[in-house]
Amino acid sequence: GRPPPASPAAPPPLRRAWQSSTLLVGASEQREASAPPASLGRVHARLAELLLAGGTPTQTEGEADVFSAAYHLVCAAAAGEPRALRDLRSMLRGLTGDEVLPGVQLAPLCTEEEQSAAAAACAALGPLLASAGDAAALLDFAEAERAKGELASAEEWLRGAVEAVRAGGAFGDAVLHSCLKRLSEVQLERGEAAEAAATLAAAAEAARDAGAFKLGMKWDMEATAMEE
């Protein structure tokens, strides 16, 4: 059988890979008109993993094709594949990939053209990540709406983030209490004291589950005070 995929110890940084990121610019609008099937994103992500591991029939076994892998990563992201979207977001922020292309990072973006392309790609990632149920993106939209005073919209985004975390989203259960706390704050700002108290009590329980016992006790007392 084929050996399990393994990324090279130190993959070379991707040079000029920012050009491929233009596939993402406007991808949100294109998906509204004709959304690619989720399976297409998974296929591209799998191809990226195999190419990085040197596991395709056209490669020397174990020899990474980082540039082809990067192309398929971007295609997977444009199709809305959550792991690819998160990897691309990390790489555009100067970090390494973690899920599809572990250890791979972009070369430094030195020119204004490269930096502009990366910024445009990052802007396009937000709606795609949110539609894929990424908790970080949902929280970003919630905070943006809250800053504009659109509290009803912020509450909806925060509910989506809570659901994403509970479903095993990007952050995992460890930050459920933080999402619930933000939701309770918005509910309180909207004058929904009873709902805010119930949400804060849930946040306190989640904090204790995460090992933050003192924080859980503090929020329990605050929730009790809201109910009085």
Side-chain angles (χ1 to χ4, degrees):
R2 179 173 295 170
S7 61
L14 304 178
R15 297 189 178 279
R16 301 182 64 79
W18 59 269
Q19 292 176 327
S20 295
S21 69
T22 56
L23 289 173
L24 284 170
V25 180
S28 304
E29 291 76 8
Q30 293 171 9
R31 280 170 59 82
E32 289 177 5
S34 178
S39 58
L40 178 62
R42 291 195 293 270
V43 169
H44 277 294
R46 183 58 181 151
L47 282 171
E49 292 172 330
L50 289 171
L51 286 160
L52 183 63
T56 67
T58 59
Q59 290 176 272
T60 301
E61 186 174 334
E63 184 176 317
D65 183 350
V66 181
F67 299 101
S68 296
Y71 170 79
H72 285 287
L73 176 76
V74 174
C75 289
E81 208 286 324
R83 297 181 305 133
L85 286 164
R86 290 192 289 268
D87 261 15
L88 194 56
R89 175 177 59 191
S90 295
M91 293 162 72
L92 288 168
R93 290 175 174 175
L95 306 173
T96 62
D98 181 57
E99 298 183 65
V100 179
L101 299 185
V104 176
Q105 65 183 136
L106 290 171
L109 305 178
C110 300
T111 70
E112 184 176 341
E113 182 184 10
E114 290 174 337
Q115 293 166 3
S116 296
C122 274
L125 282 175
L128 290 169
L129 281 158
S131 66
D134 180 80
L138 291 164
L139 286 171
D140 286 343
F141 278 105
E143 289 303 318
E145 292 297 284
R146 187 179 181 183
K148 293 187 296 185
E150 300 290 340
L151 298 180
S153 178
E155 183 173 345
E156 288 303 310
W157 286 112
L158 284 165
R159 288 185 183 279
V162 169
E163 291 175 6
V165 171
R166 281 178 169 155
F171 289 139
D173 292 337
V175 295
L176 176 59
H177 62 285
S178 177
C179 293
L180 287 167
K181 178 63 163 64
R182 293 192 199 185
L183 177 57
S184 73
E185 291 171 352
V186 170
Q187 289 171 330
L188 191 60
E189 289 174 21
R190 295 190 67 195
E192 301 169 348
E195 291 85 350
T199 302
L200 188 56
E205 182 178 356
R208 288 192 296 272
D209 290 343
F213 300 106
K214 290 184 178 179
L215 190 60
M217 291 176 60
K218 178 176 180 291
W219 289 349
D220 262 334
M221 291 187 290
E222 291 178 1
T224 301
M226 286 182 193
E227 294 171 344
E228 295 176 351

